[in-house]
Amino acid sequence: MAPCKTGPPMLKPFLVLAACAALAAPASARAGDVAMHVREVPLGARSLSAVARQRPFNMLAAHWLGSGHVWYRVHRLHGTWSAWRFVDADVAPDGGTGRWHDGNLDWTAAADEAQFRTAGRVTHLRSFELWSRVTSSPPRSTAQAETPVIVPRSGWGANEEVVRARPTVSPVLRLAVVHHTAGTNTYSRAQAAAIVRGIEIYHVQGNGWNDIGYNFLVDRFGTVYEGRGGGVEKNVIGAHAEGFNTATAGVALIGNYSAATPPRAQQDALVDLLAWRLDVAHIDPMSRVVYTSGGNYKFRAGKVVTLRAISGHRDTGPSECPGAGTYALLPGIARRISLTGLPKLYSPAVLGSLGGPVQFQARLSSALPWTVTVADRLGLVIAKGSGRGPLVSWTWSSASAARALYTWTISAPGIRVATGTLGLAGVTAPPPAVLSLTNLAASPSVITPGPDGSGDVTTISFALGAAAQVTAQVLGADGASLATILNEQRVAGLNTFAWAGHTLPDGRYRLVVTAKAGPKVITKAIDIVVDRTLTAPALSLPVISPNGDGVNDTVSFSFTLTQNVAVRLDIEQAGVVVATPFQGQPGTGAHTLAWDGTWNGVRVPEGQYLAVVTVTDQLGDVQVPLPLAIDTTPPTLTLADAHALNGTALKFTLSEPATLTLLVNQRTRIVRSEPKGTFTVPVPVAIDQFSAEAQDAGGNLSALVTG
């Protein structure tokens, strides 16, 4: 169980101890950019003693036995002593007499000495001093559709060599548990990654866990980090809430929120992360979950506990984590999550078995047309049902179904599809899948490492027809292997992994992926470019509406040049250049180019385009594409149910996805993101009059609908 803050008691007479020259011979563990030293702190001294300086550290934690409490202070490198700080830890069993308290790991900044003091009964004390090297801010992986931007383990520098065991995956995910790491709230962006690296080493080599305890971490700037390895979409079992680790996702806010409130950027990132992760598992964020405890010192093994789908660590165990500042926000966080990324499908279930009636059930976040399909192993649909409304309920009479395995799917417009398998126990398994390797791609294919860590990572994706041992190598221009970036067993279907290409010098490379299953071997290759000439390319808007209404009429292209080279900006559609807003040599430094959606005085038609920035340097023409859409057509919003007035809900129809703004009785304002199609908006008051309008991603407004 990951330690979290319990809160300091009233200070009582205490012992003052020095964790320095008099300590027992220190154990040392070095892992990549993190070095950890473990020291036994002598007990019994009642005054400060002269001590020798130790090797520097910037993170510190303590373990101790006994029912008492521990404080520490550090001597800052080339500075003064810090204030005394209470050591955070969960409540140990038997009041702390029979098991170590595992304290939280605190960021201390550079220090060269630590002193401890205790209150109450402490029979053994151990200091963990870590130096986690601060490098650059971590690179973020390129987010796929509907997936938040997450710094992969390779991005923040996880040391995979220290991981003790392969990850264990739960069949289902049932809820999320929110933590805080305690420690400081004043770290920099670069220090945040160093904190994550330190937590990994401390959790593994200090606490003896298999890997970092949390599934995700979020810093105060809104950066999300992949925690325990095994796949961000998989139900990887962590070590964050003793007795409640299985079927839960642990998310730690980096900081101490016992009194402080998480900053808005951190809250927003938590909302986006959990809105996506719970949607992957089809969990209603406003629901409650009945969970049987695996055992801790708040809930014995077998105790049935009712938890919220988004709970705090204190809900599951003897802890004050995630701090009062975070815990008070959780109900509002859950509400925000419930309104993010709609529509959604919740709690899909299949009742019954082959040979009899099989019922399919689910809930939708709004009334939608839905479809249930059942297909055989070849993908042929053998049964299908459909309906409309907020509830999915359809029964398949499977009396005539063959003894085989089937795949079922529940779908509706705009939702993440739910799917699963259905079959009789003991049926003959389908024949082995045939190995294939297809759809190899890199996004982006041009890696543009920047000094702030941006642009360092590309996501490699490929599809396997069968499980295989997959290796990926980077080859130089001469065909020589420069690095092996993947070598592991992968499952059939879509696979991805992230690679930080900043370790290579600028150049053109070949990425070769090989899949091997038994005697069969398949190899595919794609080109990768690493170029630091142009960094941080970005668009100000993904969609523009150049119709002269003053809303999203123009888009800005920003980038930084490290060399004085030629630059060209083209707008392309299906490989054809339709406009060239800029061509020149702007010089080194940061630049911003604006485009109003026209070319030679003529407006470019609506559609999907690529804004391609081309730089010509020692590698020749290097092109960085950025997706851009042009949309000048406003959405059409209509009232679908004219009889809804004076009721408690309104039903509308939209011609495209848009944000609906509804004003009821000139007082109650409701804002919702809605998909294309018909939907219902619950209203908390009796409706006397209303007005509604919709705005699409391009900023286009529908006509006002009133009633």
Side-chain angles (χ1 to χ4, degrees):
M1 169 171 61
C4 287
K5 187 175 180 67
T6 58
M10 295 295 292
L11 279 174
K12 298 179 180 179
F14 53 80
L15 297 176
V16 179
L17 311 164
C20 296
L23 302 181
S28 176
R30 182 171 296 277
D33 289 329
V34 183
M36 184 173 74
H37 306 279
V38 185
R39 307 177 186 278
E40 300 297 325
V41 180
L43 295 171
R46 293 187 176 273
S47 63
L48 288 172
S49 58
V51 293
R53 294 288 186 261
Q54 299 298 311
R55 67 187 69 193
F57 58 90
N58 53 21
M59 303 186 77
L60 183 141
H63 288 185
W64 73 95
L65 285 172
S67 57
H69 303 278
V70 178
W71 287 256
Y72 78 90
R73 68 175 183 173
V74 299
H75 184 270
R76 298 185 179 93
L77 199 62
H78 310 303
T80 59
W81 286 97
S82 69
W84 288 100
R85 180 179 292 178
F86 180 74
V87 178
D88 304 298
D90 285 332
V91 178
D94 309 321
T97 60
R99 177 177 148 188
W100 287 92
H101 292 263
D102 294 345
N104 268 343
L105 183 63
D106 287 352
W107 178 263
T108 63
D112 58 4
E113 183 178 341
Q115 293 179 335
F116 294 84
R117 68 188 191 189
T118 67
R121 183 174 180 270
V122 175
T123 61
H124 202 100
L125 179 61
R126 184 174 295 156
S127 172
F128 295 79
E129 301 159 14
L130 290 83
W131 180 266
S132 184
R133 187 168 69 91
V134 179
T135 55
S136 61
S137 299
R140 298 185 178 195
S141 64
T142 301
Q144 298 180 3
E146 303 178 358
T147 304
V149 178
I150 299 173
V151 176
R153 289 170 65 87
S154 61
W156 56 261
N159 190 316
E160 304 296 355
E161 294 180 1
V162 304
V163 176
R164 295 173 180 267
R166 293 179 63 87
T168 303
V169 178
S170 170
V172 297
L173 184 73
R174 304 186 65 198
L175 70 146
V177 180
V178 179
H179 305 254
H180 71 169
T181 62
T184 182
N185 294 335
T186 58
Y187 52 85
S188 68
R189 291 181 184 271
Q191 289 169 344
I195 290 172
V196 176
R197 287 194 294 273
I199 291 174
E200 178 200 25
I201 298 303
Y202 175 61
H203 280 185
V204 174
Q205 298 184 340
N207 293 348
W209 300 343
N210 289 338
D211 194 354
I212 192 169
Y214 310 114
N215 299 101
F216 302 93
L217 301 95
V218 184
D219 71 21
R220 68 187 183 98
F221 305 101
T223 302
V224 179
Y225 302 82
E226 177 186 7
R228 179 162 293 210
V232 294
E233 292 195 27
K234 296 180 180 178
N235 307 321
V236 175
I237 300 174
H240 59 94
E242 186 178 16
F244 295 81
N245 286 318
T246 300
T248 65
V251 182
L253 304 183
I254 301 175
N256 188 331
Y257 299 113
S258 294
T261 299
R264 185 69 182 191
Q266 196 170 33
Q267 295 181 41
D268 291 347
L270 178 65
V271 168
D272 291 343
L273 172 66
L274 290 182
W276 163 77
R277 189 61 187 89
L278 295 188
D279 189 31
V280 170
H282 299 293
I283 297 172
D284 184 348
M286 299 298 290
S287 65
R288 293 187 177 270
V289 178
V290 177
Y291 194 110
T292 302
S293 170
N296 62 36
Y297 293 92
K298 182 176 182 178
F299 299 114
R300 59 174 173 77
K303 175 71 174 178
V304 177
V305 183
T306 300
L307 300 169
R308 294 171 294 177
I310 301 171
S311 291
H313 185 194
R314 66 173 65 179
D315 296 324
T316 68
S319 173
E320 291 302 312
C321 177
T326 302
Y327 193 77
L329 296 175
L330 292 185
I333 293 287
R335 283 192 295 273
R336 289 184 60 192
I337 291 171
S338 72
L339 299 174
T340 300
L342 297 176
K344 295 180 180 180
L345 180 144
Y346 303 133
S347 307
V350 180
L351 307 176
S353 58
L354 283 181
V358 179
Q359 186 176 26
F360 298 84
Q361 297 178 345
R363 290 188 298 112
L364 296 167
S365 57
S366 58
L368 293 171
W370 51 262
T371 301
V372 181
T373 58
V374 180
D376 63 17
R377 62 182 181 84
L378 298 178
L380 180 66
V381 175
I382 64 167
K384 185 174 183 179
S386 61
R388 187 183 187 90
L391 298 178
V392 175
S393 181
W394 176 69
T395 300
W396 171 39
S397 178
S398 65
S400 60
R403 294 177 58 85
L405 293 176
Y406 298 92
T407 298
W408 59 264
T409 300
I410 302 175
S411 61
I415 70 161
R416 186 183 299 272
V417 171
T419 187
T421 58
L422 175 68
L424 292 171
V427 300
T428 303
V434 177
L435 178 63
S436 61
L437 174 59
T438 58
N439 300 329
L440 177 61
S443 180
S445 60
V446 178
I447 303 172
T448 58
D452 61 351
S454 62
D456 285 2
V457 173
T458 183
T459 298
I460 312 300
S461 59
F462 56 91
L464 292 174
Q469 184 73 21
V470 179
T471 59
Q473 290 185 307
V474 180
L475 307 184
D478 58 357
S481 177
L482 302 178
T484 298
I485 59 176
L486 181 73
N487 185 8
E488 63 185 42
Q489 185 75 14
R490 287 300 184 102
V491 298
L494 180 64
N495 284 263
T496 63
F497 68 93
W499 170 53
H502 66 279
T503 57
L504 294 176
D506 288 5
R508 295 182 180 274
Y509 300 92
R510 193 76 169 158
L511 176 67
V512 179
V513 176
T514 300
K516 185 177 187 299
K520 188 168 184 178
V521 178
I522 301 176
T523 297
K524 295 291 178 67
I526 55 173
D527 292 323
I528 298 286
V529 177
V530 178
D531 194 338
R532 294 170 175 82
T533 300
L534 181 144
T535 64
L539 292 178
S540 61
L541 295 168
V543 183
I544 62 169
S545 176
N547 53 12
D549 64 356
V551 180
N552 297 348
D553 284 335
T554 62
V555 61
S556 295
F557 305 86
S558 60
F559 56 89
T560 298
L561 291 177
T562 60
Q563 300 181 52
N564 186 11
V565 297
V567 176
R568 187 177 72 251
L569 172 62
D570 294 319
I571 309 300
E572 297 183 2
Q573 186 178 56
V576 178
V577 176
V578 299
T580 302
F582 178 82
Q583 187 169 2
Q585 196 161 330
T588 60
H591 300 281
T592 300
L593 306 175
W595 183 52
D596 63 0
T598 65
W599 182 238
N600 292 330
V602 179
R603 184 186 299 169
V604 174
E606 290 188 352
Q608 300 292 326
Y609 296 86
L610 286 178
V612 181
V613 182
T614 302
V615 295
T616 304
D617 56 14
Q618 67 275 12
L619 299 179
D621 285 349
V622 176
Q623 297 183 323
V624 178
L626 302 168
L628 174 67
I630 298 177
D631 179 8
T632 57
T633 302
T636 301
L637 177 69
T638 56
L639 183 65
D641 186 357
H643 301 289
L645 199 62
N646 298 320
T648 57
L650 291 170
K651 184 180 290 186
F652 296 95
T653 298
L654 267 172
S655 61
E656 62 176 307
T659 298
L660 174 78
T661 300
L662 174 65
L663 182 64
V664 179
N665 303 339
Q666 297 185 347
R667 293 191 303 272
T668 303
R669 187 170 182 266
I670 299 172
V671 179
R672 293 166 57 115
S673 295
E674 295 291 350
K676 176 182 177 180
T678 302
F679 56 92
T680 300
V681 181
V683 179
V685 296
I687 305 170
D688 296 324
Q689 58 177 313
F690 72 89
S691 62
E693 62 182 358
Q695 186 174 42
D696 63 18
N700 303 297
L701 279 174
S702 71
L704 194 66
V705 176
T706 61

